[in-house]
């Protein structure tokens, strides 16, 4: 790994609070790779050979059954996957592919397991990452079980708007087919849900979204911290 890559990797959230010497030791066994869009990075059922950390780009975490697929999450820079499989030395329960061109840090699984056993600060960082992932799964389960497809879409739009500063203007960051799967609905259900948002003055054209009455959309979405607040 080049010196400039090492310096950049040291700043990743996974290494917060971990001693510089230990991080450098871990990175000496790691790789930084670039992948084009749509390349499969992890295949469900394969042995966990690496812990992946996203440096640049977006990665779709998904799973399949027979001829069906569902998107579990979409991850961006700073996120890692899939820690549980690596620490337990078991197969991946999910697959992953780049939605965009990606740059990925690949940490050998054995080195990660050794670090978890030997360095308390690194073990804590991994535990925090897994705890956040677990809470994310609980929130998503509640979102899927307690809300209609229209409510899920409305809350997703509110959350995306807040990420961009609550301007009322946003871009859907990936294909609508991925968005539908991410929200747990078929593409045709997403289309109907988009049409159902017209009375709330939501204008969606392609990937461009205009929220013309945010309060009206909030009255439909009714977000709650225990599902929608990333800090909760």
């Amino acid at each position: 790994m080049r010196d400039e890559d090492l310096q950049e990797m040291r700043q990743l959230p996974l290494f917060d609070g971990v001693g510089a010497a230990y991080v450098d030791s871990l990175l000496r066994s790691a790789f930084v790779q670039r992948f084009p869009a749509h390349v499969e990075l992890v295949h469900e059922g394969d042995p966990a050979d690496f812990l992946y950390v996203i440096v640049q780009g977006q990665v779709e975490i998904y799973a399949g059954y027979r001829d069906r697929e569902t998107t579990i999450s979409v991850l961006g820079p700073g996120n890692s996957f899939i820690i549980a499989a690596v620490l337990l030395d078991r197969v991946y329960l999910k697959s992953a592919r780049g939605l965009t061109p990606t740059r990925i840090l690949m940490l050998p699984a054995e080195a990660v397991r050794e670090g978890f056993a030997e360095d308390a600060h690194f073990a804590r960082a991994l535990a925090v990452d897994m705890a956040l992932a677990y809470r994310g799964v609980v929130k998503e389960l509640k979102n899927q079980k307690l809300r209609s497809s229209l409510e899920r879409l409305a809350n997703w739009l509110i959350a995306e708007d807040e990420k961009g500063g609550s301007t009322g203007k946003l871009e859907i960051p990936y294909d609508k087919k991925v968005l539908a799967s991410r929200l747990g609905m078929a593409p045709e259900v997403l289309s109907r849900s988009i049409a159902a948002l017209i009375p709330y003055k939501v204008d969606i054209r392609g990937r461009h979204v205009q929220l013309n009455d945010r309060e009206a959309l909030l009255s439909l979405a009714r977000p709650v911290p225990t599902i929608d607040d990333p800090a909760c």
Side-chain angles (χ1 to χ4, degrees), residues 70-139:
T70 186
T71 302
I72 296 170
S73 60
V74 176
L75 305 178
N79 291 121
S80 58
F81 62 95
I82 305 172
I83 291 178
V86 169
L87 291 182
L88 294 173
D89 194 12
R90 297 185 183 176
V91 300
Y92 296 116
L93 297 181
K94 300 172 282 189
S95 300
R97 62 185 164 221
L99 287 176
T100 64
T102 55
R103 187 159 161 256
I104 306 288
L105 172 65
M106 301 168 60
L107 297 163
E110 185 60 34
V112 173
R113 287 192 289 271
E114 289 175 0
F116 185 78
E118 296 172 2
D119 188 276
H121 296 292
F122 184 52
R124 183 184 184 280
L126 290 171
V128 167
D129 204 312
M130 281 205 301
L132 291 171
Y134 169 76
R135 291 179 69 81
V137 168
V138 172
K139 289 178 181 180

Side-chain angles (χ1 to χ4, degrees), residues 183-232:
L183 295 176
M185 62 184 82
E188 58 270 23
V189 176
L190 176 63
S191 295
R192 290 197 294 269
S193 297
I194 289 173
L197 288 177
I198 292 174
Y200 298 92
K201 298 185 179 179
V202 177
D203 184 14
I204 301 179
R205 304 189 183 196
R207 293 191 182 184
H208 303 286
V209 182
Q210 177 78 46
L211 308 182
N212 295 306
D213 189 341
R214 200 168 187 276
E215 291 305 314
L217 188 61
L218 278 168
S219 71
L220 168 65
R222 298 176 67 182
V224 294
T226 53
I227 298 178
D228 305 293
D229 187 350
C232 184

Side-chain angles (χ1 to χ4, degrees), residues 10-196:
R10 291 185 190 113
Q11 309 307 314
L12 289 169
L14 182 64
F15 302 129
D16 284 351
V18 184
Y22 189 80
V23 173
D24 287 350
S25 171
L26 187 62
L27 289 174
R28 276 197 289 272
S29 64
F31 309 88
V32 176
Q33 299 281 357
R34 293 183 182 273
F35 298 94
H38 311 304
V39 167
E40 188 172 71
L41 305 170
V42 165
H43 184 70
E44 180 178 348
D46 282 353
D49 294 327
F50 292 94
L51 174 63
Y52 296 79
V53 186
I54 305 168
V55 182
Q56 295 173 345
Q58 287 185 320
V59 172
E60 177 188 11
I61 306 298
Y62 69 99
Y65 176 72
R66 295 187 176 181
D67 60 345
R68 300 189 290 274
E69 276 190 6
T70 186
T71 302
I72 296 170
S73 60
V74 176
L75 305 178
N79 291 121
S80 58
F81 62 95
I82 305 172
I83 291 178
V86 169
L87 291 182
L88 294 173
D89 194 12
R90 297 185 183 176
V91 300
Y92 296 116
L93 297 181
K94 300 172 282 189
S95 300
R97 62 185 164 221
L99 287 176
T100 64
T102 55
R103 187 159 161 256
I104 306 288
L105 172 65
M106 301 168 60
L107 297 163
E110 185 60 34
V112 173
R113 287 192 289 271
E114 289 175 0
F116 185 78
E118 296 172 2
D119 188 276
H121 296 292
F122 184 52
R124 183 184 184 280
L126 290 171
V128 167
D129 204 312
M130 281 205 301
L132 291 171
Y134 169 76
R135 291 179 69 81
V137 168
V138 172
K139 289 178 181 180
E140 185 56 37
L141 182 63
K142 291 166 67 177
N143 188 44
Q144 294 285 340
K145 293 281 190 179
L146 296 173
R147 287 172 171 163
S148 68
S149 57
L150 182 60
E151 289 169 335
R152 293 198 297 276
L153 176 58
N155 276 283
W156 185 85
L157 289 170
I158 291 292
E160 287 296 302
D161 185 42
E162 288 177 350
K163 288 179 187 176
S166 300
T167 64
K169 295 181 180 180
L170 60 129
E171 296 274 334
I172 300 174
Y174 30 77
D175 188 82
K176 284 184 181 175
K177 182 179 178 181
V178 175
L179 176 60
S181 184
R182 169 70 185 83
L183 295 176
M185 62 184 82
E188 58 270 23
V189 176
L190 176 63
S191 295
R192 290 197 294 269
S193 297
I194 289 173

